[in-house]
Amino acid sequence: MTPATPATQAARGLAGAALGALAARSVYRLLNRDGERSPTWQRVNFRGRTVTLQEGPALVSGVCAGCVLAPGLPPRVRAATTLAAAGSAVFGAYDDLAGDARAKGLRGHLGALAHGQVTTGAVKMAGIGATGLAAASLLRRGPLRARIVDTLADGALIAASANLVNLFDLRPGRAVKFALLASAPALASPAAAVVGPVLGASAALLPDDLAERSMLGDAGANALGAALGAAAAARAPRPVRLALLGGVVGLTLLSERVSFSKAIDRVPALRRLDRWGRLDPDLPGAATESAANAEAEPADAAANGTRTEAAAPGPDGVRGRGAAEDDPTGVPRARRSAASPAPG
């Protein structure tokens, strides 16, 4: 087979991005038709605004549809990326909707397991790890020993990437911006066709995220990271994959001790980028956000997830990673805030 030219790769990536964007927006509109939002999928963010978690299901629908329909992808790559994204979304949604606050962060979940307690976050980690390995196994051929080593490393990359993007989902648009900046250069590489649908679906939903009408939740953030991890596993050479795995694991461990939110706020360029496109900081609720940023926070990994003040059943968090604390209207308060640690 003749290798695709850079122009062909870029064209395939853009075609996949268009398909992913169209599918994601269509599903999002369908889920939110006529303004009907199921209370089950609603949360209250750090400003006290009611947002929907249905951005997550819409994003994974766009990613999967784009990967299935995009031109230039081998069947194994289509299957692996779809499995990684869909599997991570299912377990992320489980944590979104049934999460508890018995443990927070990676250490919290592992500590709970050591005492015989199985948290929803632990179930999610195990499930995403298993689907990551299954997706990685679809990509590898060749001698058994090399295949096993590659599958283990690639499965870890997919699962760790799912968790890392989730760690950035603490403020409107932050996780999507991180994913776009980290993976956009791949549109000029052999990974363009598989990265395109991920970027397209993410970009299409970014305006609603920034406007605080929706949030990714665990379902969306985990799926976004897993799909990017699968793209790297499918197309990057082994040294690059191992380097990416080391970087992702390093950032994840760092997040157990360092607050990403505080680190971003300390760097003017990162702070401006993080706040670009978001609602006016002087709008009601901004004082709450400033207070949240000022409070001591062990690490974003502990908050792993949703961008809100009070911890509550909610994801990435949103539902299960903070303390259950509903507002008077009966809508759970999402736990996306520096002040509200939650699991990964």
Side-chain angles (χ1 to χ4, degrees):
M1 179 181 293
T2 303
T5 64
T8 300
Q9 293 171 356
R12 290 173 177 175
L14 293 175
L19 291 168
L22 178 62
R25 288 304 306 181
S26 299
V27 171
Y28 183 74
R29 288 171 182 162
L30 179 63
L31 293 175
N32 292 280
R33 61 186 180 280
D34 301 323
E36 297 174 3
R37 293 180 178 180
S38 168
T40 302
W41 291 87
Q42 288 181 351
R43 295 296 179 271
V44 176
N45 74 359
F46 62 89
R47 289 183 197 269
R49 298 169 64 96
T50 299
V51 299
T52 178
L53 294 176
Q54 289 171 333
E55 179 184 343
L59 182 138
V60 71
S61 297
V63 170
C64 292
C67 288
V68 169
L69 299 175
L73 283 179
R76 284 176 175 266
V77 176
R78 295 184 195 275
T81 308
T82 302
L83 175 59
S88 295
V90 168
F91 287 102
Y94 166 69
D95 198 23
D96 283 344
L97 303 178
D100 53 56
R102 286 181 292 170
K104 302 171 184 178
L106 181 62
R107 287 177 296 180
H109 293 303
L110 295 180
L113 281 176
H115 290 85
Q117 298 176 345
V118 180
T119 64
T120 56
V123 172
K124 186 186 76 169
M125 287 192 295
I128 291 177
T131 55
L133 285 173
S137 69
L138 295 174
L139 298 171
R140 298 300 160 222
R141 300 178 183 176
L144 179 60
R145 179 175 297 180
R147 193 163 69 242
I148 290 175
V149 172
D150 282 336
T151 296
L152 291 175
D154 293 343
L157 175 60
I158 293 170
S161 298
N163 184 65
L164 180 62
V165 173
N166 193 24
L167 292 175
F168 278 93
D169 193 28
L170 293 170
R171 287 293 182 270
R174 180 183 293 175
V176 173
K177 290 176 185 176
F178 170 76
L180 291 174
L181 290 173
S183 57
L187 286 175
S189 76
V194 64
V195 167
V198 184
L199 298 184
S202 303
L205 298 172
L206 179 58
D208 285 87
D209 199 327
L210 291 171
E212 297 180 28
R213 291 187 290 268
S214 66
M215 62 170 60
L216 286 173
D218 284 1
N222 286 145
L224 176 56
L228 292 176
R235 288 296 186 238
R238 182 186 289 175
V240 175
R241 300 199 308 271
L242 293 177
L244 288 173
L245 176 58
V248 170
V249 171
L251 285 173
T252 301
L253 295 177
L254 181 65
S255 72
E256 291 284 329
R257 295 186 173 276
V258 176
S259 165
F260 287 168
S261 293
K262 289 183 178 180
I264 289 171
D265 280 342
R266 291 191 188 105
V267 181
L270 293 179
R271 184 171 63 248
R272 286 193 295 271
L273 177 61
D274 186 48
R275 296 184 180 181
W276 172 82
R278 284 167 49 180
L279 294 180
D280 189 335
D282 293 328
L283 289 176
T288 303
E289 179 183 6
S290 298
N293 285 336
E295 289 191 29
E297 166 193 9
D300 286 321
N304 187 23
T306 7
R307 47 174 182 283
T308 51
E309 281 299 270
D316 164 356
V318 209
R319 185 175 180 132
R321 284 200 271 216
E325 181 179 329
D326 296 352
D327 70 5
T329 65
V331 178
R333 183 175 287 276
R335 31 172 217 298
R336 232 184 228 175
S337 105
S340 140

